[in-house]
């Protein structure tokens, strides 16, 4: 298999293809690339052994910001029962009841450069059952707490969709039950995974990784080109083993399937993972677990548009919607492999493969330039400025203009 790939790569470098692939001759031999990857892995392992993961306490923010913890079921159950006792006591005293809910609004978010992630500040708001403007949300909050308590006593997992269908008339729309579920995590002080409510399977992984899934050993080199679905509950994943040199994080499913079918992970030993677009919680948890346990560098391949960079930032710095759990959901030191705006001219991507940015695209790009996590990285600022200036974007699949398997040849 490896010999066939080498012959194919040599064939691609022939004179007949030189016009179609103007920069092909500049590519380094596989042996040189492998040495670079080994050095990168060694550097990552060394820094992991000497550096300490900082917390809010380490940067003096524990009093003004909040974080949740991964709690066992009995502690989650105890917290809910304690909250129920407080509510009952308040009702019996004739005072009604209300919840103190941490605000997850944009104004209550803070990017901490020392932690390189977004955290939640300590502002809260009252969700009063006796107030006409908040009575419905207070009722949904109480119902979600009741359902989570049932899950704790039964020791089972359900999906967010299952949770929604337990009381469709009350919730009306899944986005409402999902939002209150995040509120409940903040109220109880635990991660959303600790509530035993998970999202449906979305992300997939393939390549040089073996791990146990609820006791069953999974070899990700034998999962076909579709890969192995990432388990929705990370607590059943363990015993990770790998001889990979790095983790390749891919934005799109199409690029993932191309690399998987070509068994790119055998030529340059790696683990390939994708959330098929917007990162879900399970994929973010799985990526962090791989990074921390295997001490491997993470290289990201995303579209050359503002949303590709936003997706990359969610993996690295966290999302504002779930900033309360950024300590568990973020993966530090992800390298932006491509596709960068400067790559469009550097690799001579044909004009027919480039797309004009919409007004919304340009606005999103300018908004990103105002974000602290972008300002911290001069290279990102330079690339974003170029993108906004040229008003051009391109997807990973633009490389297919040089051949359908070109991504596997040059990635």
């Amino acid at each position: 298999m490896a010999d066939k790939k080498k012959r194919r790569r040599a064939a691609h470098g022939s004179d007949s293809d030189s016009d179609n692939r103007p920069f092909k001759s500049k590519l380094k031999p596989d042996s040189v690339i492998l040495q670079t990857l080994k050095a990168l892995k060694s550097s990552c392992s060394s820094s992991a052994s000497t550096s300490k993961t900082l917390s809010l306490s380490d940067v003096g923010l524990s009093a003004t910001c909040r974080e949740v913890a991964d709690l066992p079921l009995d502690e989650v159950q105890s917290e809910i029962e304690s909250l129920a006792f407080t509510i009952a006591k308040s009702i019996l005293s004739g005072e009604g009841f209300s919840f103190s809910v941490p605000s997850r609004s944009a104004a209550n978010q803070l990017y901490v450069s020392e932690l390189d992630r977004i955290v939640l500040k300590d502002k809260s708001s009252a969700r009063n059952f006796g107030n006409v403007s908040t009575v419905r949300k207070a009722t949904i909050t109480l119902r979600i707490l009741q359902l989570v308590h049932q899950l704790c006593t039964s020791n089972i997992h359900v999906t967010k969709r299952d949770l929604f269908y337990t009381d469709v008339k009350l919730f009306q729309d899944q986005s409402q039950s999902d939002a209150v579920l995040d509120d409940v995590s903040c109220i109880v002080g635990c991660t959303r995974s600790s509530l035993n409510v998970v999202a449906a399977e979305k992300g997939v992984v393939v390549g040089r990784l073996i791990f146990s899934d609820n006791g069953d050993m999974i070899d990700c080199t034998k999962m076909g080109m579709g890969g192995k679905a990432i388990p929705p509950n990370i607590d059943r994943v363990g015993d990770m083993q790998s001889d990979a040199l790095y983790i390749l994080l891919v934005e799109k499913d199409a690029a993932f399937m191309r690399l998987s079918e070509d068994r790119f992970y055998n030529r340059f030993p790696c683990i390939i993972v994708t959330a098929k677009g917007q990162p879900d919680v399970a994929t973010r948890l799985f990526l962090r677990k791989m990074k921390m346990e295997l001490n491997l560098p993470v290289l990201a391949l995303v579209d050359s548009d503002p949303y590709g960079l936003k997706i990359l930032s969610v993996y690295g710095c966290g999302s504002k919607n779930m900033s309360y759990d950024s300590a568990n959901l973020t993966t530090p030191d992800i390298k932006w492999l491509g596709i960068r705006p400067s790559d469009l001219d550097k690799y001579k991507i044909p004009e027919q493969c480039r797309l004009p940015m919409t007004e919304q695209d340009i606005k999103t790009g300018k908004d990103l330039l105002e974000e602290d996590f972008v300002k911290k990285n001069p290279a990102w600022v330079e690339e974003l400025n170029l993108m906004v200036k040229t008003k051009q974007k391109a997807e990973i699949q633009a490389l297919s203009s040089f051949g359908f398997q070109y991504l596997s040849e040059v990635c």
Side-chain angles (χ1 to χ4, degrees):
M1 179 67 73
D3 289 340
K4 287 181 181 179
K5 284 188 173 291
K6 287 178 181 178
R7 287 196 296 272
R8 186 198 312 160
R9 193 177 191 208
H12 281 327
S14 65
D15 292 339
S16 60
D17 287 338
S18 60
D19 292 337
N20 205 26
R21 299 166 186 190
F23 58 92
K24 185 75 175 178
S25 60
K26 298 178 183 178
L27 292 177
K28 298 177 181 178
D30 284 7
S31 58
V32 175
I33 297 173
L34 285 169
Q35 286 300 320
T36 302
L37 290 171
K38 288 175 182 178
L40 183 62
K41 178 185 178 182
S42 177
S43 174
C44 182
S45 299
S46 299
S47 61
S49 61
T50 57
S51 62
K52 173 191 174 186
T53 302
L54 297 177
S55 65
L56 288 177
S57 299
D58 295 323
V59 294
L61 291 175
S62 57
T64 56
C65 297
R66 66 176 78 223
E67 282 184 331
V68 297
D70 204 8
L71 300 180
L73 279 184
D74 57 341
E75 288 190 33
V76 174
Q77 182 176 337
S78 177
E79 287 288 338
I80 294 175
E81 290 170 355
S82 176
L83 190 58
F85 178 78
T86 302
I87 291 172
K89 187 177 178 181
S90 179
I91 293 172
L92 291 172
S93 67
E95 298 175 2
F97 75 91
S98 68
F99 296 101
S100 177
V101 183
S103 171
R104 294 187 290 115
S105 66
N108 202 40
Q109 316 278 344
L110 176 67
Y111 172 74
V112 183
S113 58
E114 296 90 342
L115 305 177
D116 194 22
R117 55 185 171 86
I118 301 169
V119 300
L120 189 67
K121 294 193 283 189
D122 62 349
K123 182 182 177 182
S124 296
S125 60
R127 190 169 289 175
N128 197 325
F129 185 76
N131 188 308
V132 68
S133 64
T134 56
V135 59
R136 187 168 177 279
K137 269 207 165 182
T139 305
I140 294 176
T141 304
L142 193 60
R143 180 68 168 134
I144 295 288
L145 282 165
Q146 178 196 10
L147 293 169
V148 170
H149 187 266
Q150 288 180 16
L151 296 176
C152 292
T153 54
S154 304
N155 192 18
I156 59 173
H157 291 80
V158 299
T159 65
K160 293 191 294 182
R161 193 68 176 167
D162 288 330
L163 198 74
F164 166 67
Y165 274 108
T166 59
D167 206 330
V168 175
K169 288 187 176 179
L170 174 62
F171 300 144
Q172 294 183 359
D173 187 87
Q174 188 179 333
S175 62
Q176 296 189 37
S177 58
D178 287 354
V180 173
L181 184 66
D182 285 327
D183 291 338
V184 166
S185 289
C186 293
I187 293 169
V188 176
C190 68
T191 63
R192 202 175 74 185
S193 303
S194 300
L195 301 178
N196 274 18
V197 182
V198 298
E201 292 179 342
K202 182 187 176 191
V204 287
V205 60
V206 75
R208 311 288 275 262
L209 175 69
I210 298 174
F211 67 94
S212 65
D213 182 358
N214 204 27
D216 298 322
M217 295 306 296
I218 307 296
D219 185 344
C220 293
T221 61
K222 300 177 181 178
M223 291 292 110
M225 74 175 187
K228 168 72 174 73
I230 292 174
N233 43 323
I234 197 69
D235 54 345
R236 77 185 199 190
V237 174
D239 302 320
M240 285 187 166
Q241 307 165 39
S242 178
D243 63 350
L245 297 178
Y246 65 104
I247 300 166
L248 182 60
L249 175 62
V250 181
E251 177 187 348
K252 296 284 188 67
D253 186 36
F256 174 90
M257 292 188 68
R258 174 75 277 129
L259 294 168
S260 177
E261 185 178 24
D262 290 344
R263 297 187 182 272
F264 177 80
Y265 50 82
N266 285 334
R267 181 169 150 221
F268 297 115
C270 65
I271 303 165
I272 310 173
V273 62
T274 183
K276 303 178 183 178
Q278 190 64 32
D280 60 308
V281 170
T283 304
R284 291 166 67 186
L285 287 168
F286 192 83
L287 179 66
R288 178 179 173 84
K289 189 177 181 69
M290 285 195 295
K291 165 78 173 180
M292 295 305 183
E293 293 193 6
L294 302 174
N295 291 330
L296 292 175
V298 181
L299 307 181
L301 184 63
V302 298
D303 288 341
S304 177
D305 62 24
Y307 307 103
L309 195 55
K310 281 187 76 172
I311 285 172
L312 176 55
S313 71
V314 169
Y315 282 112
C317 306
S319 64
K320 291 183 177 180
N321 189 46
M322 296 192 70
S323 58
Y324 64 88
D325 194 18
S326 63
N328 299 298
L329 292 174
T330 53
T331 301
D333 197 28
I334 298 178
K335 311 292 186 185
W336 186 10
L337 180 64
I339 294 175
R340 296 170 178 252
S342 60
D343 290 340
L344 303 188
D345 286 335
K346 180 180 179 181
Y347 296 129
K348 300 183 180 178
I349 301 298
E351 286 296 326
Q352 68 267 26
C353 298
R354 308 185 192 194
L355 297 170
M357 292 175 67
T358 65
E359 290 300 319
Q360 184 59 47
D361 291 336
I362 295 170
K363 181 181 181 303
T364 302
K366 289 179 177 179
D367 289 344
L368 275 173
L369 284 167
E370 299 302 316
E371 296 285 358
D372 290 334
F373 60 81
V374 172
K375 291 178 181 178
K376 183 185 177 183
N377 193 324
W380 286 25
V381 173
E382 184 179 347
E383 293 289 349
L384 263 175
N385 276 322
L386 178 62
M387 185 189 299
V388 171
K389 179 182 177 182
T390 60
K391 298 182 180 180
Q392 288 186 325
K393 61 182 181 179
E395 298 186 1
I396 301 169
Q397 281 68 45
L399 292 175
S400 297
S401 62
F402 299 114
F404 289 120
Q405 292 182 299
Y406 197 55
L407 180 64
S408 299
E409 295 297 327
V410 302
C411 184

